[in-house]
Amino acid sequence: MADTALMPIPGMIDPVPTPREVTPREDGRVDLIGLPKKAIAALFEAAGLDAKAAKLRAKQVFHWLYHRGVTDFEAMTDIAKTMRPWLAERFVIGRPDVVLAQHSSDGTRKWLLRTADNHEFEMVFIPDADRGTLCVSSQVGCTLNCRFCHTGTMRLVRNLTPGEIVGQVMLARDELGEWPRGGGTMAGLDDVEDEDGGGYSPDGRLLTNIVMMGMGEPLYNFDHVRDALKIVMDGDGLALSKRRITLSTSGVVPMMARAGEEIGVNLAVSLHAVSKDVRDEIVPINRKYGLEELLQACADYPGASNARRITFEYVMLKDKNDSDADARELVRLIKQYKLPAKVNLIPFNPWPGAIYECSTPERIRRFSEIVFEAGISAPVRTPRGRDIDAACGQLKTAAQKMSRAELDRLAEEKQAALG
Ligand code: SAH
Ligand code: SF4
């Protein structure tokens, strides 16, 4: 079987090519997870059904997959008994393999997952009082090398397929025990579809929100992320509202308008610095798409409004980006571009070999106050799951954890690349 090979990082700031939409399986069957209804119908037709039957079966199967969460064709009771083995010979309903499941003392859960062709990536679930957020990965590793991010030190990258992205949501639902049992409609569906945050309750849904903030840069895997999120939002299936989904980008400016138009979810931007020098250093994509361009793309983001603000993520790094002057400049920029914005201050989460320290709590508080006093919301994000390396920027698969010597070598290579 051809491997969907990991690719060496091609450069500091370039996307990786996308080899294929579906990861081939050794047994030759096709995994239906991640395929839109039309593609499922086309496969059924290619396997011998007439067009009308293929369309009808695709609709039924889609419902079973995403509304009911079944993983066995035998459970599809409205499909003829003779038809079920026919399906099972040709197709599977896949999930990423779980290599390791960890539970933090604060309730956060992290799963180390594996694709059908043996590449590892991570997914995190963060329960809160009024919501449950799944942090989904878009790539194995990341090409971008932000200096404070552990994922950025992974040397090899491959885009996840739509099936591997949707598969994370499916698996999370499995693990949280959230599929409806027996017949009837799905309990709590109305809650999930409402848009005022009322869906979470002890007997209702646990998974209410999705953030594309796991491993990888989602806008460097645009097509797959879009196709996956369309399935997650499909009213016949998982039916998660676009208002409950947030896509975070480090600033892939040319893709931002398309993200707004073609996906339409909430946007978060990893700003992290307000001057060219500092942002060039800590978020290297800034050398390709600078601050002005990025902020203009935010101002132009389709769908942003005072009711749907853009979130600016700002990691607090001691003596790097955390002064009063930085806070005031942040306010000035947001006002200059008239951005409907909120700021999310993220205390830096350390990892072995990181060259930064987190700002002091007093510094973070003062920074937050300055932004807040200018009329912009600036909450400090509580770090979650730090004890299991599940917090922002700590994700990196066990298989790829590097030795100190390897990290040093990488740092040298990075310096050389900067010239
Ligand atoms: N690649 C995308 C999404 C994944 S990262 C992006 O960069 O936006 C999710 C968030 O965690 C980003 O804002 C990222 O900058 C932040 N982050 C990365 N490393 C971190 C660390 N060590 N501590 C705190 N936040 C970090
Ligand atoms: Fe990639 Fe985001 Fe980490 Fe930067 S912060 S290296 S873009 S995952």
Side-chain angles (χ1 to χ4, degrees):
M1 178 194 69
D3 177 39
T4 312
L6 285 168
M7 283 160 277
I9 291 174
M12 296 285 295
I13 43 178
D14 291 318
V16 288
T18 299
R20 55 174 73 86
E21 297 230 329
V22 176
T23 301
R25 295 170 47 88
E26 269 173 18
D27 63 12
R29 292 185 294 171
V30 177
D31 187 351
L32 295 180
I33 294 295
L35 301 179
K37 244 173 276 162
K38 272 198 173 145
I40 297 179
L43 283 171
F44 288 177
E45 207 180 327
L49 296 189
D50 70 54
K52 201 164 156 241
K55 200 172 164 202
L56 172 69
R57 295 297 176 214
K59 194 166 186 279
Q60 287 171 308
V61 167
F62 192 87
H63 183 84
W64 284 107
L65 297 187
Y66 296 110
H67 198 70
R68 304 292 296 272
V70 307
T71 50
D72 184 354
F73 292 105
E74 272 310 315
M76 301 185 176
T77 47
D78 59 357
I79 290 181
K81 262 202 151 96
T82 48
M83 175 100 204
R84 295 178 214 158
W86 182 88
L87 287 167
E89 269 166 35
R90 292 163 177 81
F91 306 103
V92 289
I93 304 164
R95 296 289 192 262
D97 285 337
V98 177
V99 181
L100 183 70
Q102 287 171 284
H103 222 129
S104 159
S105 53
D106 69 14
T108 301
R109 298 170 70 172
K110 181 173 90 168
W111 292 266
L112 175 61
L113 306 175
R114 189 164 48 208
T115 62
D117 61 346
N118 280 320
H119 301 307
E120 291 179 351
F121 59 105
E122 293 183 331
M123 157 180 110
V124 178
F125 179 71
I126 308 142
D128 271 306
D130 60 344
R131 66 174 66 190
T133 306
L134 187 70
C135 182
V136 170
S137 291
S138 55
Q139 299 181 309
V140 172
C142 184
T143 49
L144 281 167
N145 297 315
C146 298
R147 298 290 288 270
F148 48 83
C149 175
H150 207 190
T151 304
T153 67
M154 286 173 68
R155 301 170 72 94
L156 300 167
V157 180
R158 115 144 147 76
N159 286 330
L160 292 175
T161 63
E164 289 155 355
I165 298 169
V166 179
Q168 294 172 65
V169 183
M170 304 300 283
L171 184 78
R173 280 258 154 94
D174 294 348
E175 300 267 309
L176 296 168
E178 289 215 292
W179 299 111
R181 291 180 202 110
T185 55
M186 198 166 196
L189 186 67
D190 293 341
D191 286 343
V192 171
E193 280 177 333
D194 84 18
E195 292 180 350
D196 63 8
Y200 184 90
S201 71
D203 53 353
R205 275 294 162 68
L206 294 170
L207 197 173
T208 60
N209 292 59
I210 288 178
V211 292
M212 296 301 304
M213 295 188 186
M215 293 179 147
E217 168 50 57
L219 295 189
Y220 270 174
N221 186 14
F222 181 82
D223 291 357
H224 290 180
V225 167
R226 176 199 55 208
D227 295 350
L229 291 180
K230 281 205 179 306
I231 288 176
V232 171
M233 294 188 281
D234 192 312
D236 293 338
L238 291 160
L240 214 77
S241 158
K242 65 180 182 181
R243 287 165 208 280
R244 291 180 177 275
I245 303 175
T246 300
L247 183 151
S248 175
T249 180
S250 56
V252 184
V253 168
M255 300 310 289
M256 285 168 61
R258 280 187 67 194
E261 283 153 16
E262 296 177 34
I263 314 177
V265 296
N266 301 318
L267 181 70
V269 172
S270 295
L271 195 65
H272 304 317
V274 289
S275 71
K276 175 170 167 45
D277 285 356
V278 178
R279 197 161 191 271
D280 275 356
E281 176 190 329
I282 66 178
V283 187
I285 196 176
N286 197 63
R287 295 169 212 173
K288 191 157 183 174
Y289 309 114
L291 268 172
E292 291 79 20
E293 267 179 276
L294 175 60
L295 295 172
Q296 190 54 50
C298 291
D300 298 339
Y301 185 72
S305 67
N306 278 333
R308 287 188 75 198
R309 292 168 190 275
I310 293 173
T311 303
F312 286 106
E313 295 161 284
Y314 199 98
V315 62
M316 298 300 296
L317 303 174
K318 189 175 184 183
D319 299 331
K320 182 50 75 183
N321 64 355
D322 63 350
S323 69
D324 288 0
D326 289 320
R328 284 193 288 268
E329 179 62 5
L330 176 59
V331 168
R332 193 191 68 75
L333 286 171
I334 289 174
K335 299 216 155 155
Q336 182 190 335
Y337 286 86
K338 300 191 177 65
L339 296 169
K342 57 188 172 194
V343 174
N344 219 327
L345 299 176
I346 317 175
F348 170 64
N349 291 308
W351 39 272
I355 57 172
Y356 300 108
E357 272 180 71
C358 185
S359 311
T360 62
E362 300 73 50
R363 187 89 294 276
I364 298 178
R365 201 173 317 129
R366 184 68 201 121
F367 195 104
S368 168
E369 275 166 13
I370 293 172
V371 179
F372 187 75
E373 279 159 13
I376 300 162
S377 150
V380 181
R381 193 186 285 174
T382 315
R384 299 291 301 269
R386 270 187 178 177
D387 54 338
I388 54 168
D389 285 349
C392 297
Q394 291 186 310
L395 300 187
K396 175 165 180 178
T397 66
Q400 288 225 13
K401 288 217 163 100
M402 273 187 246
S403 67
R404 186 59 256 183
E406 284 174 308
L407 282 167
D408 287 346
R409 199 173 60 229
L410 187 70
E412 273 168 32
E413 282 171 18
K414 239 187 265 175
Q415 274 319 113
L418 299 182

